[in-house]
Amino acid sequence: MSAEPISAKTSILLMVAPAIIVVGAFGAGLFLSLGAKPDLPEPEVIEPVEPEPEPDPKRMYIDIINPIKATLPQLGGTANISIGLAVRDDIGKKVYDMLREDAAPVMAPMTDAVQELVDQMPAGSTWQDLRGALPDLLRIKLNEQLTAEDRPNPVYEVLITNFSVGQ
């Protein structure tokens, strides 16, 4: 058997073909790997744990028998204001007993507070403006009067149960 000589083109093809096949295989693998998603475990989601807020003490409602009476010439009459208090349940009994025994020392400054509020109101203010501003003012003033070491800020809110105006 005689061997035929290999042509130059065939010898180049035999040398380059394995290189092309290897480079093509790596290229195809790279192309496929870029499109595939890795099998990584999902990150663990840790939700922050908020401490449970301390529940507010329950409310106790106290109706104040002594109304606040204030003569307000700026508004052209006299206001007669009856209020109720929403106080902390855990100290409401102490506040109730204190107001039942003698409410005058606590309620007298409320008349002065109403007068001061009217003095600070802009000209042209109405009775409705006064009525709207009273609950917050009275809450602040009552807390100043009723707060003690065993009763920190006992009044949550002031409720106006009657607001009448006379000439």
Side-chain angles (χ1 to χ4, degrees):
M1 257 204 213
S2 73
E4 289 185 27
I6 299 178
S7 69
K9 287 183 182 180
T10 307
S11 72
I12 291 176
L13 184 62
L14 288 176
M15 288 183 358
V16 174
I20 291 175
I21 292 173
V22 170
V23 170
F26 278 116
L30 178 63
F31 178 74
L32 292 175
S33 69
L34 289 177
K37 292 186 179 181
D39 290 335
L40 297 175
E42 291 187 27
E44 191 174 323
V45 177
I46 300 173
E47 295 182 22
V49 178
E50 295 180 22
E52 291 187 28
E54 289 185 29
D56 286 337
K58 292 183 180 181
R59 294 177 179 219
M60 176 179 174
Y61 293 92
I62 300 172
D63 188 31
I64 305 297
I65 297 170
N66 300 0
I68 300 168
K69 295 180 184 177
T71 302
L72 306 168
Q74 302 92 323
L75 296 176
T78 301
N80 192 13
I81 307 161
S82 297
I83 62 172
L85 307 178
V87 297
R88 292 174 35 160
D89 185 36
D90 58 343
I91 57 176
K93 177 84 169 112
K94 293 176 187 176
V95 172
Y96 176 75
D97 290 342
M98 190 173 97
L99 292 172
R100 187 184 60 183
E101 289 174 14
D102 189 15
V106 174
M107 298 309 291
M110 298 308 111
T111 303
D112 295 337
V114 171
Q115 182 64 48
E116 289 172 15
L117 176 63
V118 171
D119 291 341
Q120 295 172 2
M121 291 172 63
S125 295
T126 65
W127 290 103
Q128 291 302 324
D129 297 330
L130 173 63
R131 189 178 195 289
L134 278 176
D136 287 336
L137 171 77
L138 293 177
R139 178 183 52 80
I140 291 167
K141 294 295 182 179
L142 283 165
N143 273 331
E144 288 175 4
Q145 294 290 320
L146 298 173
T147 295
E149 191 173 309
D150 62 336
R151 297 184 310 267
N153 291 327
V155 180
Y156 282 137
E157 67 181 313
V158 173
L159 309 163
I160 297 177
T161 57
N162 183 27
F163 186 88
S164 57
V165 178
Q167 299 293 339

